[in-house]
Structure formats: structure tokens, C-alpha cells
Amino acid sequence: MALDDEVGLSKADRRHALDAIETTALRESANWFQLLAGTSNVVMQLAARPVGHGVKDSTVDEGNLFLNPARRRRTTIGYIAVAMFGDAEERAAYRRATNRSHAQVRSPEGAEVTYDAFDPALQLWVAACLYKGAEHAYQRVHGPLTGDFAERFYRQGMVFGTTLQLPAEAWPATREDFDAYWTASLDELEMDDATRQYLMRVVHLEYLDREIPPWLMRWRVRLVTGYLEPRFRELMHLEWSPDDEVRFARFNRRMTRFMRLAPRRLRERPFTRSLRDVRRRLATGTSLF
């Protein structure tokens, strides 16, 4: 069912129509660049101060990156996989699981920074960051988005928000509207020292609780920084030199060549493998989170 046909439907039917959004264009972005830029995307999401505090201060131990890194990675990739490749029932099931987790994520009374994981404005920001990650991954491998395909790709990108609780009308109507939203949002971003310190711990892989070779850490910091827009580098106080740009560009050229030569099943494997795990959990009644 097309979203334009929703008039007159019940709330439940409208939600099902959103869960059934076609994503054939969006799936073209499924490649390893989404994973390579994954930490950068987390930085982008948490650069919105309420989102940053919501994650940093969360008391939900099961979803805490520093207590359950494997689980956090599994559920994050699982969300993207279900959004892009799942069917309506799988998206609905993942949303219910996310709701149960998010119900516990709200700021305590009197908090300096207030947040609520069900806030549509915060959900829109997170979805917008995920969309930017998909767009970036597509362009790295396939080149610029153009014509009708670009608009179809963009409209399907709303699934990153509707698989939460975001209504369709909250997603900017056109890619041009999205650009205006994104630019205005960047201007409004603020990052305090506490959030920045938390994110640098994530960048430095402290949640793994083991020694990382210095050369590997330098490489990781370069990748995380490189995949960030200048505004986010500024917020994170991350330096970026011409030499960094040369090395980063060289790495991306090699990865792009590899992704273009790789068969689709290999490009999509991280997501299809995650989706298989989600489907196994649903079939056996195992918790998704």
C-alpha cells in the first residue's frame, strides 16, 4: 500500500502501512561503508545534547555499551538490517522491543538536560543521522544520487524513523526540505564536556576493556574523524590535517574499488546475517534485545 493511500485508515492500519514501506532503493546503500562510519554516526546522533545525555546517563544496563558491547552492537546493526531488509511484521516486532527499552530512557526530575527517548524531535534527529549514513554509503560505492531514484531513495529513508515511532508526516517532505532541516539542526547543536568525554571513550574503544595497539588506534581515530562533517569535528575538538585527508582518501578509494567488485551478497552480508539472527530470535521466542 502506498503512503498516499492512508487517508481513512485506522491508526493501526496506518502504522502497518508504514511498517510495510518498500525499501528496494534504500537497500542499494547496504555496504561496508555503513559499518566503517558506524562510530562516526553514533557521534552525530549524540551530538544532539539530549540524545547524548540520554545515552550517556542511561540506567538501562542491558543496553549500556560499556556493560554489554556485543549486545549493543547486535541490536544496533539489527535495527538497521530490519529497517532496510525486514518485512512489516519484523519491523513492528523490533519497534516493540525498542519501545520496551526506550520506556526506561527519560531524564530524572530536575535534570539539567531533559530527554525522553519517545520525543519525536529526538527520534527525527536519530533517523536523519541514520539516513545520512545510508546516503553516504551509497554515494561512496555508486556515485551521486540523481533523478527519480534519488527522491525514491530519500522517501524510503523515513523507515529509519518509522521503525521507531515517528509518524510519516514528521519526515521532511522532500530532500530539499531535509537539507534545510539538517542545516538548521547543525547550527543548533551543542556539546558539553561530559558528552564529548563519553564519545571519546567510545572512539578509543574503552568499552572493549583491552589494550589497543597504538597504530590501530591512530587508524581508527582517523577513520572516525574522516567520516564526520566538519561541524561534528569541531564539536568533538578533533583535528584534521591535509596528511590525514590524503591517507583517508586513499583508504576510501581502495575500499570503493573493493565494494564495486564485490558481489551484492558480500556487500550486504553484515546486514543479512543480522537479519537472520533477528528472524531466528522471533521464531524461537528469544528476546530481540
Coordinates of all heavy atoms in Angstrom, one line a residue, residues 121-197:
A121 N 11.1 14.8 18.2 CA 12.1 15.6 17.7 C 13.5 14.9 17.8 O 14.3 15.0 16.8 CB 12.2 17.0 18.4
L122 N 13.7 14.2 18.9 CA 14.9 13.5 19.0 C 14.9 12.2 18.1 O 16.0 11.9 17.6 CB 15.1 13.0 20.5 CG 15.1 14.2 21.5 CD1 15.4 13.6 22.9 CD2 16.2 15.2 21.1
Q123 N 13.8 11.6 18.0 CA 13.7 10.5 17.0 C 14.0 10.9 15.6 O 14.7 10.2 14.8 CB 12.4 9.8 17.1 CG 12.2 9.0 18.5 CD 10.9 8.2 18.4 OE1 10.1 8.3 17.5 NE2 10.7 7.4 19.5
L124 N 13.5 12.1 15.2 CA 13.8 12.6 13.9 C 15.3 12.8 13.7 O 15.8 12.5 12.6 CB 13.0 13.9 13.6 CG 13.3 14.6 12.3 CD1 13.0 13.6 11.1 CD2 12.4 15.8 12.2
W125 N 15.9 13.3 14.7 CA 17.4 13.6 14.6 C 18.1 12.3 14.4 O 19.0 12.2 13.5 CB 17.9 14.3 15.8 CG 19.4 14.5 15.8 CD1 20.3 13.8 16.6 CD2 20.2 15.2 14.9 NE1 21.5 14.1 16.3 CE2 21.5 15.0 15.2 CE3 19.9 16.1 13.8 CZ2 22.6 15.6 14.6 CZ3 21.0 16.7 13.1 CH2 22.3 16.4 13.5
V126 N 17.8 11.3 15.2 CA 18.5 10.0 15.1 C 18.2 9.4 13.7 O 19.1 8.9 13.1 CB 18.0 9.0 16.2 CG1 18.5 7.6 16.0 CG2 18.5 9.5 17.6
A127 N 17.0 9.4 13.3 CA 16.6 8.9 12.0 C 17.4 9.6 10.8 O 17.8 9.0 9.9 CB 15.1 8.9 11.7
A128 N 17.5 10.9 11.0 CA 18.2 11.7 10.0 C 19.6 11.4 9.9 O 20.2 11.3 8.8 CB 18.0 13.2 10.3
C129 N 20.3 11.1 11.0 CA 21.7 10.7 11.1 C 21.8 9.3 10.4 O 22.8 9.1 9.6 CB 22.2 10.6 12.5 SG 22.4 12.2 13.3
L130 N 20.9 8.4 10.7 CA 21.0 7.1 10.0 C 20.8 7.2 8.5 O 21.4 6.5 7.7 CB 19.9 6.1 10.6 CG 20.2 5.7 12.1 CD1 19.0 4.9 12.6 CD2 21.4 4.9 12.2
Y131 N 19.9 8.1 8.1 CA 19.7 8.3 6.7 C 20.9 8.9 6.1 O 21.3 8.4 5.0 CB 18.5 9.3 6.4 CG 18.4 9.6 5.0 CD1 17.9 8.7 4.0 CD2 19.0 10.8 4.5 CE1 18.0 9.0 2.7 CE2 19.0 11.1 3.2 CZ 18.5 10.2 2.3 OH 18.5 10.5 0.9
K132 N 21.6 9.8 6.7 CA 22.8 10.4 6.2 C 23.9 9.3 6.0 O 24.6 9.3 5.0 CB 23.3 11.5 7.1 CG 22.5 12.8 7.1 CD 22.7 13.6 5.8 CE 24.0 14.4 5.8 NZ 24.0 15.4 4.7
G133 N 23.9 8.4 7.0 CA 24.8 7.3 6.9 C 24.6 6.4 5.7 O 25.5 6.0 4.9
A134 N 23.3 6.1 5.4 CA 22.9 5.3 4.2 C 23.2 6.1 2.9 O 23.8 5.5 2.0 CB 21.4 5.0 4.3
E135 N 22.9 7.3 2.9 CA 23.2 8.1 1.7 C 24.7 8.2 1.4 O 25.2 8.0 0.3 CB 22.7 9.6 1.9 CG 22.6 10.4 0.7 CD 22.0 11.7 0.9 OE1 22.6 12.6 1.6 OE2 20.8 11.9 0.4
H136 N 25.5 8.4 2.5 CA 27.0 8.4 2.3 C 27.5 7.1 1.8 O 28.3 7.0 0.9 CB 27.6 8.7 3.7 CG 29.0 8.4 3.8 ND1 29.5 7.1 4.3 CD2 30.1 9.0 3.4 CE1 30.8 7.1 4.3 NE2 31.2 8.2 3.7
A137 N 27.0 6.0 2.4 CA 27.4 4.6 1.9 C 27.1 4.4 0.5 O 27.9 3.9 -0.3 CB 26.8 3.6 2.8
Y138 N 25.9 4.8 0.1 CA 25.5 4.6 -1.4 C 26.4 5.4 -2.3 O 26.9 4.9 -3.3 CB 24.1 5.1 -1.6 CG 23.7 5.0 -3.0 CD1 23.1 3.9 -3.5 CD2 23.9 6.1 -3.9 CE1 22.7 3.8 -4.9 CE2 23.6 6.0 -5.2 CZ 23.0 4.9 -5.7 OH 22.7 4.8 -7.1
Q139 N 26.7 6.7 -1.9 CA 27.5 7.6 -2.8 C 28.9 7.1 -2.9 O 29.5 7.3 -3.9 CB 27.3 9.0 -2.3 CG 26.0 9.6 -2.5 CD 25.8 10.9 -1.9 OE1 26.4 11.3 -0.9 NE2 24.9 11.7 -2.4
R140 N 29.4 6.6 -1.8 CA 30.8 6.1 -1.8 C 31.0 5.0 -2.9 O 32.0 4.9 -3.6 CB 31.2 5.5 -0.5 CG 31.5 6.6 0.6 CD 32.8 7.2 0.4 NE 33.1 8.2 1.4 CZ 34.2 9.0 1.4 NH1 35.0 8.9 0.4 NH2 34.4 9.8 2.4
V141 N 30.0 4.1 -3.1 CA 30.1 3.0 -4.0 C 29.5 3.3 -5.3 O 30.1 2.9 -6.4 CB 29.4 1.8 -3.3 CG1 29.4 0.6 -4.3 CG2 30.1 1.4 -2.0
H142 N 28.4 4.0 -5.4 CA 27.7 4.1 -6.6 C 27.7 5.5 -7.2 O 27.2 5.7 -8.4 CB 26.2 3.7 -6.4 CG 26.0 2.3 -5.9 ND1 26.3 1.2 -6.6 CD2 25.6 1.9 -4.7 CE1 26.0 0.1 -5.9 NE2 25.6 0.5 -4.7
G143 N 28.2 6.5 -6.5 CA 28.2 7.8 -7.0 C 27.0 8.6 -6.6 O 26.2 8.2 -5.8
P144 N 26.8 9.8 -7.1 CA 25.7 10.7 -6.7 C 24.3 10.1 -6.9 O 24.1 9.4 -7.8 CB 25.9 12.0 -7.5 CG 27.3 11.9 -8.0 CD 27.7 10.5 -8.1
L145 N 23.5 10.5 -6.0 CA 22.0 10.1 -6.1 C 21.4 11.1 -7.1 O 21.5 12.3 -6.8 CB 21.3 10.1 -4.8 CG 21.6 8.9 -3.9 CD1 21.4 9.3 -2.4 CD2 20.7 7.8 -4.2
T146 N 20.7 10.7 -8.1 CA 20.1 11.6 -9.1 C 18.7 11.2 -9.5 O 18.3 10.0 -9.3 CB 21.0 11.7 -10.4 OG1 21.1 10.3 -10.9 CG2 22.4 12.2 -10.0
G147 N 18.0 12.1 -10.0 CA 16.7 11.9 -10.7 C 15.7 11.3 -9.7 O 15.7 11.5 -8.5
D148 N 14.8 10.5 -10.3 CA 13.7 9.9 -9.6 C 14.2 9.0 -8.5 O 13.6 8.8 -7.5 CB 12.7 9.2 -10.5 CG 12.0 10.2 -11.4 OD1 11.9 11.4 -11.1 OD2 11.4 9.7 -12.5
F149 N 15.3 8.3 -8.9 CA 15.8 7.3 -7.9 C 16.2 8.0 -6.6 O 16.0 7.5 -5.5 CB 17.0 6.6 -8.5 CG 17.6 5.6 -7.5 CD1 17.1 4.3 -7.4 CD2 18.7 5.9 -6.8 CE1 17.7 3.4 -6.5 CE2 19.3 5.0 -5.9 CZ 18.8 3.8 -5.7
A150 N 16.8 9.2 -6.7 CA 17.2 10.0 -5.5 C 16.1 10.3 -4.6 O 16.1 10.1 -3.4 CB 17.9 11.3 -6.0
E151 N 14.9 10.7 -5.2 CA 13.8 11.0 -4.4 C 13.2 9.8 -3.8 O 12.7 9.8 -2.7 CB 12.7 11.8 -5.3 CG 11.7 12.5 -4.5 CD 12.2 13.5 -3.5 OE1 13.2 14.1 -3.8 OE2 11.6 13.7 -2.4
R152 N 13.2 8.7 -4.6 CA 12.6 7.4 -4.0 C 13.5 6.9 -2.9 O 13.0 6.5 -1.8 CB 12.6 6.4 -5.2 CG 11.7 5.2 -4.9 CD 11.2 4.5 -6.2 NE 12.3 4.2 -7.1 CZ 13.0 3.0 -7.1 NH1 12.6 2.1 -6.3 NH2 13.9 2.8 -8.0
F153 N 14.8 7.0 -3.1 CA 15.8 6.6 -2.0 C 15.5 7.5 -0.8 O 15.4 6.9 0.4 CB 17.2 6.9 -2.5 CG 18.3 6.4 -1.6 CD1 18.9 5.2 -1.8 CD2 18.7 7.3 -0.6 CE1 19.9 4.8 -0.9 CE2 19.7 6.9 0.3 CZ 20.4 5.7 0.1
Y154 N 15.3 8.8 -0.9 CA 15.1 9.6 0.2 C 13.8 9.3 0.9 O 13.7 9.2 2.1 CB 15.1 11.1 -0.2 CG 14.6 12.0 0.9 CD1 15.4 12.2 2.1 CD2 13.3 12.6 0.9 CE1 14.9 12.9 3.1 CE2 12.8 13.3 1.9 CZ 13.6 13.5 3.1 OH 13.2 14.2 4.1
R155 N 12.7 9.1 0.2 CA 11.4 8.8 0.8 C 11.4 7.5 1.6 O 10.9 7.4 2.6 CB 10.3 8.8 -0.2 CG 10.0 10.2 -0.9 CD 9.5 11.2 0.2 NE 8.2 10.8 0.8 CZ 7.8 11.4 1.9 NH1 8.4 12.3 2.5 NH2 6.6 11.0 2.4
Q156 N 12.1 6.6 1.0 CA 12.2 5.3 1.7 C 13.1 5.4 3.0 O 12.9 4.6 3.9 CB 12.8 4.2 0.8 CG 11.9 3.8 -0.4 CD 12.5 2.8 -1.3 OE1 13.5 2.2 -1.1 NE2 11.8 2.6 -2.5
G157 N 13.9 6.4 3.0 CA 14.8 6.6 4.2 C 14.0 6.9 5.5 O 14.5 6.8 6.6
M158 N 12.7 7.3 5.3 CA 11.9 7.6 6.5 C 11.7 6.3 7.4 O 11.4 6.4 8.6 CB 10.5 8.1 6.1 CG 9.5 7.1 5.6 SD 7.8 7.7 5.6 CE 7.9 9.0 4.4
V159 N 12.0 5.1 6.8 CA 11.9 3.9 7.6 C 12.8 3.9 8.8 O 12.5 3.2 9.8 CB 12.1 2.7 6.6 CG1 13.6 2.5 6.4 CG2 11.6 1.4 7.2
F160 N 13.9 4.6 8.8 CA 14.7 4.7 9.9 C 14.0 5.3 11.1 O 14.4 5.1 12.3 CB 16.0 5.5 9.6 CG 16.9 4.7 8.7 CD1 17.4 5.3 7.5 CD2 17.4 3.4 8.9 CE1 18.2 4.7 6.6 CE2 18.2 2.8 8.1 CZ 18.7 3.4 6.9
G161 N 13.0 6.2 10.8 CA 12.3 6.8 11.9 C 11.0 6.1 12.2 O 10.6 5.9 13.4
T162 N 10.3 5.6 11.1 CA 9.0 5.0 11.4 C 9.2 3.6 12.0 O 8.2 3.1 12.6 CB 8.2 4.8 10.0 OG1 9.0 4.1 9.1 CG2 7.9 6.2 9.4
T163 N 10.3 3.0 11.9 CA 10.5 1.7 12.7 C 10.7 2.0 14.1 O 10.7 1.1 15.0 CB 11.7 1.0 12.1 OG1 11.5 0.8 10.7 CG2 11.9 -0.4 12.7
L164 N 10.9 3.3 14.5 CA 10.8 3.7 15.9 C 9.3 4.0 16.0 O 8.5 3.1 15.9 CB 11.6 4.9 16.2 CG 13.2 4.7 16.1 CD1 13.9 6.0 16.2 CD2 13.6 3.8 17.2
Q165 N 8.9 5.2 16.4 CA 7.5 5.6 16.4 C 7.2 6.8 15.6 O 6.1 7.4 15.6 CB 7.1 5.9 17.9 CG 7.3 4.7 18.8 CD 8.7 4.7 19.4 OE1 9.4 5.7 19.4 NE2 9.1 3.5 19.8
L166 N 8.1 7.3 14.8 CA 8.0 8.5 14.1 C 6.9 8.4 13.0 O 6.8 7.5 12.2 CB 9.3 8.9 13.4 CG 9.5 10.4 13.0 CD1 9.7 11.2 14.3 CD2 10.7 10.5 12.1
P167 N 5.9 9.4 13.0 CA 4.9 9.4 12.0 C 5.4 9.9 10.7 O 6.4 10.6 10.6 CB 3.9 10.4 12.6 CG 4.6 11.3 13.4 CD 5.7 10.5 14.0
A168 N 4.8 9.4 9.6 CA 5.3 9.8 8.3 C 5.4 11.3 8.0 O 6.4 11.8 7.4 CB 4.4 9.1 7.2
E169 N 4.5 12.0 8.6 CA 4.5 13.5 8.4 C 5.6 14.2 9.1 O 5.9 15.4 8.8 CB 3.1 14.1 8.8 CG 2.8 13.9 10.2 CD 2.0 12.6 10.5 OE1 2.0 11.7 9.6 OE2 1.3 12.5 11.5
A170 N 6.3 13.5 10.0 CA 7.4 14.2 10.7 C 8.7 14.2 9.8 O 9.6 15.0 10.0 CB 7.7 13.4 12.0
W171 N 8.7 13.3 8.8 CA 9.9 13.2 7.9 C 9.8 14.3 6.9 O 8.7 14.5 6.3 CB 9.9 11.8 7.2 CG 11.1 11.5 6.4 CD1 11.2 11.3 5.1 CD2 12.4 11.2 6.9 NE1 12.5 11.0 4.7 CE2 13.3 10.9 5.8 CE3 13.0 11.3 8.2 CZ2 14.6 10.7 6.0 CZ3 14.3 11.0 8.4 CH2 15.1 10.7 7.3
P172 N 10.8 15.1 6.7 CA 10.7 16.2 5.8 C 10.2 15.8 4.4 O 10.7 14.7 3.9 CB 12.2 16.8 5.7 CG 12.7 16.4 7.1 CD 12.1 15.1 7.5
A173 N 9.3 16.5 3.8 CA 8.6 16.0 2.6 C 9.5 15.8 1.4 O 9.3 14.8 0.7 CB 7.6 17.1 2.2
T174 N 10.6 16.6 1.2 CA 11.5 16.4 0.1 C 12.9 16.4 0.6 O 13.2 16.9 1.7 CB 11.3 17.5 -1.0 OG1 11.7 18.8 -0.4 CG2 9.8 17.6 -1.4
R175 N 13.8 16.0 -0.3 CA 15.2 16.1 0.0 C 15.7 17.5 0.2 O 16.5 17.8 1.1 CB 16.0 15.4 -1.1 CG 17.5 15.3 -0.8 CD 17.7 14.4 0.4 NE 19.2 14.2 0.7 CZ 19.9 15.1 1.3 NH1 19.4 16.3 1.7 NH2 21.2 14.8 1.6
E176 N 15.1 18.4 -0.5 CA 15.4 19.8 -0.3 C 15.0 20.3 1.1 O 15.7 21.0 1.8 CB 14.7 20.7 -1.3 CG 15.0 22.2 -1.2 CD 14.4 23.0 -2.3 OE1 13.8 22.4 -3.2 OE2 14.5 24.2 -2.3
D177 N 13.8 19.8 1.6 CA 13.3 20.1 2.9 C 14.3 19.5 4.0 O 14.5 20.1 5.0 CB 11.9 19.6 3.2 CG 10.9 20.3 2.3 OD1 11.1 21.5 2.0 OD2 9.9 19.7 1.9
F178 N 14.7 18.3 3.7 CA 15.7 17.6 4.6 C 16.9 18.4 4.7 O 17.5 18.6 5.8 CB 16.0 16.2 4.1 CG 16.9 15.5 5.0 CD1 16.4 14.7 6.0 CD2 18.3 15.5 4.7 CE1 17.3 14.0 6.8 CE2 19.2 14.8 5.6 CZ 18.7 14.0 6.6
D179 N 17.5 19.0 3.6 CA 18.7 19.8 3.6 C 18.5 21.0 4.6 O 19.4 21.3 5.3 CB 19.1 20.2 2.3 CG 19.8 19.2 1.5 OD1 20.3 18.2 2.1 OD2 19.8 19.3 0.2
A180 N 17.3 21.6 4.5 CA 17.0 22.8 5.3 C 17.0 22.4 6.8 O 17.5 23.1 7.6 CB 15.7 23.4 4.9
Y181 N 16.3 21.3 7.0 CA 16.3 20.7 8.4 C 17.7 20.4 8.9 O 18.0 20.8 10.1 CB 15.4 19.5 8.5 CG 15.6 18.6 9.7 CD1 15.1 19.0 10.9 CD2 16.4 17.5 9.7 CE1 15.3 18.2 12.1 CE2 16.6 16.7 10.8 CZ 16.1 17.1 12.0 OH 16.3 16.4 13.1
W182 N 18.5 19.8 8.1 CA 19.8 19.3 8.5 C 20.7 20.6 8.8 O 21.4 20.6 9.9 CB 20.4 18.5 7.5 CG 21.8 17.9 7.8 CD1 23.0 18.3 7.4 CD2 22.0 16.7 8.7 NE1 24.0 17.5 8.0 CE2 23.4 16.5 8.8 CE3 21.1 15.9 9.4 CZ2 23.9 15.5 9.6 CZ3 21.7 14.9 10.2 CH2 23.1 14.7 10.3
T183 N 20.7 21.5 7.9 CA 21.5 22.7 8.1 C 21.1 23.5 9.4 O 21.9 23.9 10.2 CB 21.4 23.7 6.9 OG1 21.8 23.0 5.7 CG2 22.2 24.9 7.1
A184 N 19.8 23.6 9.6 CA 19.3 24.3 10.8 C 19.7 23.5 12.1 O 20.1 24.1 13.1 CB 17.8 24.5 10.8
S185 N 19.6 22.2 12.0 CA 20.0 21.4 13.2 C 21.4 21.5 13.5 O 21.8 21.6 14.7 CB 19.6 19.9 12.9 OG 18.2 19.8 12.7
L186 N 22.3 21.5 12.5 CA 23.7 21.6 12.7 C 24.0 23.0 13.4 O 24.9 23.0 14.3 CB 24.5 21.6 11.4 CG 24.6 20.3 10.7 CD1 25.5 20.4 9.4 CD2 25.0 19.1 11.6
D187 N 23.4 24.0 13.0 CA 23.6 25.3 13.7 C 23.2 25.3 15.1 O 23.8 26.1 15.9 CB 22.8 26.4 12.9 CG 23.3 26.7 11.5 OD1 24.5 26.3 11.3 OD2 22.6 27.3 10.7
E188 N 22.2 24.5 15.5 CA 21.7 24.5 16.9 C 22.5 23.5 17.8 O 22.2 23.5 19.0 CB 20.2 24.1 16.9 CG 19.4 25.2 16.1 CD 18.0 24.7 16.0 OE1 17.6 23.6 16.4 OE2 17.1 25.5 15.4
L189 N 23.3 22.7 17.2 CA 24.0 21.6 18.0 C 24.9 22.2 19.1 O 25.6 23.2 18.8 CB 24.8 20.7 17.2 CG 24.0 19.7 16.3 CD1 25.0 18.9 15.4 CD2 23.1 18.8 17.1
E190 N 24.9 21.6 20.3 CA 25.8 22.0 21.3 C 26.3 20.7 21.9 O 25.6 19.7 22.0 CB 25.1 22.8 22.4 CG 24.6 24.1 22.0 CD 23.9 24.9 23.2 OE1 23.6 24.2 24.2 OE2 23.5 26.0 23.0
M191 N 27.6 20.7 22.4 CA 28.1 19.5 23.0 C 28.9 19.9 24.3 O 29.8 20.8 24.2 CB 29.0 18.7 22.1 CG 29.6 17.4 22.7 SD 30.6 16.5 21.5 CE 29.4 15.9 20.3
D192 N 28.5 19.4 25.4 CA 29.2 19.7 26.6 C 30.4 18.8 26.8 O 30.6 17.8 26.1 CB 28.3 19.7 27.8 CG 27.5 18.4 27.9 OD1 28.0 17.3 27.6 OD2 26.3 18.5 28.4
D193 N 31.2 19.1 27.8 CA 32.4 18.3 28.0 C 32.1 16.8 28.4 O 32.8 15.9 28.0 CB 33.3 18.9 29.2 CG 34.0 20.2 28.7 OD1 34.1 20.4 27.5 OD2 34.3 21.0 29.6
A194 N 31.0 16.7 29.2 CA 30.7 15.3 29.6 C 30.3 14.4 28.5 O 30.8 13.3 28.4 CB 29.5 15.4 30.6
T195 N 29.6 14.9 27.5 CA 29.2 14.1 26.3 C 30.4 13.9 25.5 O 30.7 12.8 24.9 CB 28.1 14.8 25.5 OG1 27.0 15.1 26.3 CG2 27.7 14.0 24.3
R196 N 31.3 14.9 25.3 CA 32.5 14.8 24.5 C 33.4 13.7 25.1 O 34.0 12.9 24.4 CB 33.2 16.1 24.4 CG 34.4 16.1 23.4 CD 35.0 17.5 23.4 NE 34.1 18.5 22.9 CZ 33.6 19.5 23.7 NH1 33.9 19.5 25.0 NH2 32.7 20.4 23.3
Q197 N 33.6 13.8 26.4 CA 34.4 12.8 27.0 C 33.9 11.4 26.9 O 34.6 10.4 26.6 CB 34.6 13.1 28.5 CG 35.4 14.4 28.8 CD 35.3 14.9 30.2 OE1 34.7 14.3 31.1 NE2 35.9 16.1 30.4

